[in-house]
Amino acid sequence: MSVDAAQIFRSAVTLGITAGLAWLTARVVAASPGFSDSGESVRSELAFFCTVSWLVTVGIVHRLARPVNPFGWLLILVASLMLTTEWDIPGAATAGFLSAAVFSVGLLLAVAVPVAATWTVFAFPSGHIDSRAERYLLAAGALVLVGALGLVPMLFFDPQALGCSDCPRNLLLVLDDPDVAATSARLAMIAALAWAIVTMVVLAVGLVRMSPASRRARGAVWTIGFLYLAAVVAHLVMSLDRGFVGGSAAEQALWWAQLVGLAALAAAVAFSLLRSRVMRRGVTGLVVDLHREAAAGGMREALAAWLHDPSLLVAYPVDGTYRDVHLETVDVTPRPGRATSRLVNDGDEIAVLVHRPGLLDNPDELREVVTAARLGLENERLRAEGLAQVRALAGSRLRIIEAGDRERRRLERDLHDGAQQRLVGLLLGLRLLRASIGKDQPEVARTVDVAEAEVQGAVRDLRELAAGLFPNVLVTEGLAGAWEALSETLSLQVVAAPEGRLPTAVEATAYVVVATAAAHGPTTVRATCDGGWLRVCADVADASLGFSALEDRVAAIGGRIELTHVDGGSRVDLALPLRLDVSPDAEPADGVRT
């Protein structure tokens, strides 16, 4: 938990304000023995101020722990309203020139704590209320408990006229009419009673409908809120005859019940903070272990174990799609039996978890996953993005090679079907011309013979050029046939060759490597297909052999080539993948490495 100076300053100011309100309340209560809701018992007063302090403490700690979460302010609001409920007694005169204002505020907010406490329950743990029905319910509670039960009766209530000569003046007084004040207060109490009952029903239904994970997160707070409102309802029922909510001796048990409920509410929030802290440490330990082991895909295993969901999947946003750390596509669409949770940090989506329903309904758990596992998840996301870029680069290199091979094949066809055919036609024409020349024209015959020899040489050169561009036999007969044809013109012995056809880029690359080796000297070649790889071993009787020009071509299709010099010659070990979509960093088992 990092705390900056601004947070400490705001917390200090908040603590100072609430301490000032508590000091004022203590003076008011001390000046009016027996008028306080807590009665004349020192133990009750001590419990009251301890509960207020407890709420403020938890609220400030929550603010420091989660600065962007406004929930801590709600606990401080409840504590502040608890203090103001003690100001509607004669002791408010001790506030000096503020006596009338303090007394009037006490009258207005005398029954405001229940609606603030309900707000706190509904807003836990995010600090926000997303349900429109709950927002309407809170607005109705404020209108009834503060407006109808606090403001309206006070417009017609003059405590001094009713015999309270020590009471300060009611600043809200418009017309002194005790009957109107009592009638309006009684009607407002009935409305408040109905509101509290409806709120209890909403809490009870919400508890029943909560998923197991959500019940673990919010169940305690909602249960405490339900029990607290039950005490409020009983208090209102007992006060209906009087027309106002008081603190008689018969209602002390209910007052204690409400006090315990508010203290328990703060305790539940404190426990949630502590559990989140422990949860964060647990995930942090897992992340540290993962970094120490540098295990690819380890975050999924760690989170699956921590969240007790072996089927959990972790998907990262890569190039507009969602993929795991190995770039396998992951379906993140919610569907029956599977839910998704998006992990966001500072507005950026880090990952999406696909898990069993209800697993991360608790916002606290989701937030702790983001906070504690963010480094490991971002590391894997960057690894997935890097792997995608490497694969894209390898794919582009492969496409360039395939495009070059296609172009060379096109040129070979053009030479064979175009220029070569023209030269062959010219050669036939020369032979026909030679046959028509008489014996009395020896000079012309010799000239035709020279021209015919030149054309034959041009045809041979053109055939060699075409074969060098792209051997047509490689297209028609495959790698084995192309090597056999090559052995007719070069000193090449083929001991073993793969049967059947291989990917075009693989056949072309293996052919070019062997042809380059055979061009340097007598070569013996052996080739097999094993474990998804084409393995070629060529022994060349030349120690000066080099393949620097072919290394990029081999690497572009994910292959490996190694050249070693042995016994006055060279050995070429070549491994090419038979699937060109394998990872660029994959290694053939017992295979060749650069």
Side-chain angles (χ1 to χ4, degrees), residues 570-591:
S570 301
R571 169 167 292 179
V572 180
D573 289 309
L574 175 69
L576 299 174
L578 299 180
R579 285 181 56 237
L580 298 184
D581 58 346
V582 298
S583 174
D585 58 356
E587 293 282 358
D590 299 326

Side-chain angles (χ1 to χ4, degrees), residues 156-337:
F156 307 97
F157 173 65
D158 184 1
Q160 295 179 348
L162 294 177
C164 184
S165 58
D166 295 333
C167 291
R169 184 166 58 92
N170 176 15
L171 298 179
L172 301 174
L173 178 65
V174 175
L175 176 65
D176 181 23
D177 192 333
D179 292 336
V180 174
T183 302
S184 60
R186 188 171 288 106
L187 293 175
M189 290 181 66
I190 295 174
L193 185 62
W195 172 84
I197 293 175
V198 170
T199 304
M200 289 177 63
V201 172
V202 171
L203 289 173
V205 172
L207 282 168
V208 172
R209 292 181 176 179
M210 281 183 185
S211 65
S214 183
R215 190 175 294 114
R216 288 194 302 270
R218 298 185 293 166
V221 171
W222 278 48
T223 301
I224 292 170
F226 179 87
L227 297 176
Y228 168 78
L229 286 178
V232 171
V233 167
H235 203 167
L236 289 172
V237 170
M238 294 185 65
S239 302
L240 278 176
D241 293 339
R242 290 195 308 271
F244 62 90
V245 178
S248 64
E251 300 172 36
Q252 281 298 299
L254 295 174
W255 178 86
W256 272 100
Q258 294 175 55
L259 195 68
V260 170
L262 295 175
L265 178 62
V269 174
F271 177 76
S272 174
L273 289 173
L274 179 61
R275 183 178 60 181
S276 297
R277 186 73 174 176
V278 173
M279 188 185 306
R280 182 183 304 176
R281 288 182 178 178
V283 176
T284 302
L286 290 173
V287 174
V288 170
D289 291 341
L290 288 173
H291 289 173
R292 185 182 300 116
E293 298 173 1
M299 286 305 300
R300 193 213 74 82
E301 300 297 334
L303 291 175
W306 178 58
L307 296 173
H308 306 291
D309 183 7
S311 64
L312 180 137
L313 298 176
V314 180
Y316 300 101
V318 178
D319 296 334
T321 60
Y322 289 95
R323 300 177 180 272
D324 64 13
V325 70
H326 305 296
L327 287 188
E328 297 294 332
T329 303
V330 179
D331 183 8
V332 298
T333 305
R335 55 190 184 277

Side-chain angles (χ1 to χ4, degrees), residues 134-164:
E134 292 175 358
R135 290 198 294 267
Y136 288 156
L137 191 60
L138 286 174
L143 288 174
V144 170
L145 295 176
V146 179
L149 192 54
L151 177 61
V152 174
M154 296 309 104
L155 299 176
F156 307 97
F157 173 65
D158 184 1
Q160 295 179 348
L162 294 177
C164 184

